[in-house]
Amino acid sequence: MMVRSLNRLLVFGILGLLVLAPLATIVFEALQPDASHHHGMALLQLGVDQHFIHALLGTAGMAALAVVFALPIGLILALLMFYAPPKFSLLWEGLILIPFLIPPYLTAEAWTLLVGPVGLIEQLIHGLGTPLENFLYSLAGMAAVMALHLTPLVYIILRAALQNGDFRLIQAARVHGAGLWRAFRVGVLPLVLPALAAAGLLVFLDTSAEFGVPALLSGYAGVTVLSTSIEAATNVWPVNLPRASAIGLVLCTLGIVAWFFYRPLANENRGQIHQLHYPSRWWSMLPLAAFVLIAMLLPIGAVLAVSFEKAITVGLKFSNFTWHHYHHILSHQSSAFGALKTSLELAALVAFGTMVAALLTANIVRRGGRFAAFLDLLATLPMAIPGVVLAVGMILFWNAPWNHLPVFGTTAILGVAYATTTFPFAMRYARAGLAQIPPLLDNASRVHGSGPLRTFLKVHIPIAWPMLIGGATVVFALSMRELVASLMLQPAGVQVISTYIYANFRQGVIGDGMAMSVIGVLSSALILGVARGLLLRR
């Protein structure tokens, strides 16, 4: 009983520091007077703030357009892969999912290298680059970049809905004389509507919280969004933390509302998966190839090409080829190598620490009860809170005059930020691992005299470790790519991969930034591949 009480206290303390404390400080600060207005709460001042209203409309518009772009494409991909799969369907599915692994800010950077007067597309097809540039630097262009990143997520949700459904409905409709469209409307559409709603809410939530894409494109597009407005209130003089907190509270509320609608819809998408095998269709490769080309091959090709170029303006010529950027990144004396080393060390430590904390939390949640339900809600809440809002909360809490813990201003604050944003994913894997343990094993362990700690170490971990390794690799990969919290919280003199890439792109040192992008993506892919190989060997 004492061990369980200490476990509960430890878990609540961890989640309190990671989630509750930053949120509480944001709410408190939002109720303070705005720094630019010495009267009235900052939250109430937003109602008459034209810049905030424009940012709110910009955020809603970008998120809505991303939903409009991502849902039809994801639905088409899911229908093709399910009802008319091409040959080598597993390979095609892997290619469809790769764009989700590329950080959205990197996709935005890649497309800025592709379009424009000196872009790679203009160099190959004269006259095409400029119209594409005009589209990219617009509200619709920003939404399209997010749609390319999130369409694989829509595909996963809708593909699962199709597999969960009863395929006999569409067969019965065709037998009774229904045409293809009517059979789809009667037999398929009702099955995927909850999944479409869930996917749409998830796309809206992720797009409204995105910082990197608007930070790179919105200035040229003449669009303001909430995430960049929050960052500006904390980094542009005069610093206005009450305003940043008030805007963050609005964005956080928007995310939490969308998340609460998403959770029951996602639960409806669970069920028995039917393994069906429809005949292959060669023509289905055409739309799949078009998506893979636009979402993966062109952006990755642009990043690779620029990472080997001496000068972008010279173009794709052998005389313009160089290894200099990679040599600079891997030089032990360079700041780039320091950023790479810091990212790898931080990601590894966060992956280990977060999975341990998630495992302790999941072990309490699996027993049930009100306190367990509260912990489960608290552990998954960061998924609904934009990273920029969490970063503001951490600034307010860890940098408060009364907080003497040596965290803010050190590399540890980045670890805390990464652990907070990745905790829901770690929790999901930990719960899946513990769900594989039959209750009879717990009973047998207690009958033979083992206490809770010994049962946890000798029974739970040996069974759950494959899922724990899978969760650790996901946390590692997400920590390597995190941008907004890294930008807002990084201590003086410290850089990580994401901030190095972002800073070099903004400063025009693009070759070094793209070389770092290649190394960062490959290192994350290598870790994921090794972990997957170990799990398959088991």
Side-chain angles (χ1 to χ4, degrees), residues 308-519:
F308 286 111
E309 286 183 343
K310 296 177 183 177
I312 298 178
T313 54
V314 176
L316 299 173
K317 298 180 180 179
F318 184 77
S319 59
N320 197 31
F321 178 88
T322 181
W323 288 96
H324 172 74
H325 303 303
Y326 289 94
H327 182 269
H328 174 70
I329 298 294
L330 299 176
S331 173
H332 287 255
Q333 305 301 321
S334 68
S335 60
F337 185 81
L340 178 62
K341 182 172 179 288
T342 300
S343 283
L344 290 172
E345 292 174 348
L346 266 177
L349 288 172
V350 169
F352 176 78
T354 304
M355 284 310 304
V356 170
L359 185 60
L360 294 174
T361 307
N363 195 43
I364 297 175
V365 171
R366 72 189 288 259
R367 296 193 183 101
R370 292 183 179 180
F371 183 73
F374 174 70
L375 286 183
D376 185 33
L377 177 65
L378 203 58
T380 54
L381 192 57
M383 186 176 290
I385 304 172
V388 65
V389 179
L390 282 172
V392 172
M394 290 179 185
I395 292 173
L396 293 170
F397 175 72
W398 294 104
N399 196 37
W402 46 265
N403 191 336
H404 300 293
L405 294 174
V407 174
F408 193 82
T410 69
T411 310
I413 189 64
L414 296 179
V416 172
Y418 298 165
T420 305
T421 55
T422 60
F423 201 94
F425 302 95
M427 182 68 178
R428 180 173 298 178
Y429 277 87
R431 291 193 66 181
L434 294 180
Q436 300 174 9
I437 302 171
L440 290 177
L441 288 181
D442 285 344
N443 298 333
S445 178
R446 285 195 296 267
V447 166
H448 287 82
S450 295
L453 181 60
R454 184 176 178 84
T455 301
F456 182 72
L457 295 175
K458 296 296 185 179
V459 177
H460 295 174
I461 292 182
I463 295 177
W465 76 263
M467 294 302 296
L468 300 182
I469 290 180
T473 57
V474 170
V475 171
F476 180 92
L478 292 174
S479 299
M480 290 281 286
R481 62 187 278 179
E482 208 291 323
L483 174 64
V484 62
S486 302
L487 279 175
M488 297 177 66
L489 298 172
Q490 65 179 358
V494 175
Q495 277 192 315
V496 292
I497 285 179
S498 57
T499 59
Y500 181 87
I501 296 170
Y502 181 82
N504 275 264
F505 189 85
R506 296 296 293 265
Q507 295 167 9
V509 191
I510 299 175
D512 288 351
M514 294 303 100
M516 178 66 90
S517 301
V518 173
I519 293 172

